[in-house]
Amino acid sequence: MTRRTLAVVSAGLGQPSSTRLLADRLAAATRDELVRRGAEVEIRPVELREHAHDVVNHLLTGFPSAALREALDTVAGADGVIAVTPIFNASYNGLFKSFFDVLDPGALGDRPVLIGATGGTARHSLALDHALRPMFGYLRAVVVPTAVFAAPEDWSGEGADGALRARIRRAGVELADQVDRRPAATGPADPFALTTTFTDLLAGRDPA
């Protein structure tokens, strides 16, 4: 049985958080689909509000704390990433952007990513395609076609909640499909790993 890991990044600032709730539902939908395909799945949540001060310190000093390093490695070493942010002023919040600013360059290259967002009005849903998708495209991630936005009305009423569940399930299937077609992740790259042998170094051979 193939083992898969999902990093679930949530940038909600409150507790409880509708952003975390949406992230959890997206993770559950993806997990269920991967399990149906025969995979063993581990969900690894990354609650950014717990790392807010460390993210700012990293931006200022260039060095992450041990806890933030673990969170960054969780994202860099996952088979798939679910990233959900509240929308402030028609875009992702600052904490969400800052976390991905300090992520190691290239960490999301060819990594399947499912994006989601919450906001006070459905008009904010445009931010998924105008802000989040371009950012992850720049990071060379593979963003699945379905992005999921949840406004307050999506959490209430049988009809609205049913529509949200359908979007969540479709997005989960798309992420599972991208994860399933790739080899299992081996964890984040070791920046100190040798790229050539000691003998080659002594001989002055170029590892490239």
Side-chain angles (χ1 to χ4, degrees):
M1 180 179 290
T2 304
R3 183 177 179 83
R4 299 294 192 173
T5 58
L6 297 175
V8 184
V9 181
S10 172
L13 302 182
Q15 282 188 322
S17 166
S18 60
T19 301
R20 175 61 189 269
L21 177 59
L22 177 59
D24 288 345
R25 290 194 178 188
L26 291 168
T30 307
R31 178 200 60 211
D32 291 348
E33 180 62 21
L34 284 170
V35 168
R36 190 185 68 80
R37 299 179 185 211
E40 180 183 353
V41 182
E42 179 184 357
I43 295 175
R44 299 177 179 175
V46 178
E47 190 80 48
L48 294 189
R49 71 186 304 276
E50 298 174 358
H51 303 285
H53 294 290
D54 288 340
V55 168
V56 173
N57 288 338
H58 188 5
L59 286 169
L60 295 174
T61 66
F63 296 97
S65 66
L68 179 58
R69 180 75 269 165
E70 182 178 355
L72 294 168
D73 286 347
T74 293
V75 173
D79 290 289
V81 177
I82 295 168
V84 186
T85 178
I87 300 300
F88 296 161
N89 297 321
S91 188
Y92 35 65
N93 71 5
L95 179 57
F96 184 84
K97 179 62 163 62
S98 295
F99 177 79
F100 287 101
D101 281 346
V102 300
L103 191 66
D104 295 338
L108 292 183
D110 196 42
R111 189 66 46 83
V113 174
L114 192 169
I115 56 175
T118 58
T121 169
R123 292 193 301 272
H124 285 314
S125 63
L126 295 173
L128 284 165
D129 288 324
H130 293 176
L132 273 76
R133 197 177 294 275
M135 184 188 81
F136 284 106
Y138 177 82
L139 296 173
R140 295 187 289 111
V142 178
V143 185
V144 301
T146 300
V148 181
F149 182 86
E153 57 267 25
D154 289 315
W155 301 110
S156 61
E158 183 178 348
D161 188 50
L164 177 60
R165 283 199 304 269
R167 295 199 304 273
I168 288 171
R169 186 181 184 284
R170 183 169 67 247
V173 169
E174 290 173 357
L175 181 59
D177 184 59
Q178 289 294 330
V179 169
D180 190 44
R181 68 177 60 183
R182 288 169 167 76
T186 57
D190 182 356
F192 301 106
L194 292 176
T195 57
T196 189
T197 66
F198 186 64
T199 301
D200 287 341
L201 288 173
L202 287 177
R205 296 179 185 139
D206 187 349

